Amino acid sequence: MNRFKILIATIIICIVAIFLVIAITRWTTKQYNDAAIIQQIKALNRWETSTYTVEQIIDNGNSGNLFQQFLFGNRILLIAHGTVIGGFDLSNLQKSNININGSSITINLPAAQILSSSLNESQTRVYDRQKGILVPTNNNLESDARVSAMSKIRQAACSGGILTHASENAKKSLSSMLESLGFTHITINIPKSSC
């Protein structure tokens, strides 16, 4: 008889402990406030969510007939490799950008933007260079071609949808993080952006 009472008491204690753990977990999950979430998101500051690697061929300079090319021709063919990074600047995120209601959360992020673009110097090279005999030696044709390459690489990333991908990746990452915190209804608003 005593064993039966001990067994029943043990089962009741286990059930109460399980309910307490569930209740405490739900209570702490629901106690996240706007400020705590904002601090976690702002800590990301510059959040890179999409990277594009682009190759462009740049044909820069002047041409003309054979005689003009021989005397004054100045052309360069540059094969440029570059990287464009898209994402978010979260440094100005405010409390008003987040609304928490129980296990529901709505976050309004800023528009995605190009965070950086750069040439990969180890893979960027001059493929061909033609220079007439009367062209000055210290002209800026190669540096101009590199500037043009950066612009075209950025345009190619924009045309490829880097900002759309940045927004999609941000939504997936944030949703996953917020689900792990116990939120069951997650809305993430990101305005459409353009390069």
Side-chain angles (χ1 to χ4, degrees), residues 18 58 101 113 168 187:
I18 290 170
I58 308 300
N101 185 7
Q113 62 187 29
E168 290 169 358
T187 305

Side-chain angles (χ1 to χ4, degrees), residues 11 16 29 63 79 87 119 166 182 193:
I11 292 172
V16 168
T29 301
S63 60
I79 300 175
L119 281 180
S193 51

Side-chain angles (χ1 to χ4, degrees), residues 121-182:
E121 294 298 334
S122 65
Q123 293 183 336
T124 297
R125 67 188 186 284
V126 175
Y127 181 75
D128 188 29
R129 178 78 163 94
Q130 296 173 356
K131 188 173 173 184
I133 60 172
L134 298 177
V135 174
T137 56
N138 63 350
N139 65 29
N140 297 324
L141 190 60
E142 186 173 342
S143 59
D144 291 345
R146 288 176 182 273
V147 169
S148 177
M150 277 307 313
S151 175
K152 289 185 178 183
I153 285 170
R154 189 178 172 113
Q155 288 172 2
C158 289
S159 298
I162 187 170
L163 297 182
T164 301
H165 290 128
S167 295
E168 290 169 358
N169 292 342
K171 284 183 179 182
K172 288 176 190 172
S173 295
L174 265 181
S175 294
S176 178
M177 180 189 84
L178 293 168
E179 283 174 8
S180 72
L181 292 174

Side-chain angles (χ1 to χ4, degrees), residues 69-127:
Q69 287 178 15
F70 178 73
L71 293 177
F72 306 107
N74 194 14
R75 298 190 76 185
I76 190 169
L77 188 62
L78 183 78
I79 300 175
H81 287 261
T83 302
V84 181
I85 298 173
F88 299 86
D89 177 9
L90 302 175
S91 59
N92 295 322
L93 210 58
Q94 301 295 321
K95 187 176 178 183
S96 60
N97 294 103
I98 292 185
N99 182 17
I100 298 175
N101 185 7
S103 63
S104 297
I105 186 168
T106 300
I107 299 177
N108 299 310
L109 289 178
Q113 62 187 29
I114 299 292
L115 296 176
S116 68
S117 52
S118 61
L119 281 180
N120 182 336
E121 294 298 334
S122 65
Q123 293 183 336
T124 297
R125 67 188 186 284
V126 175
Y127 181 75

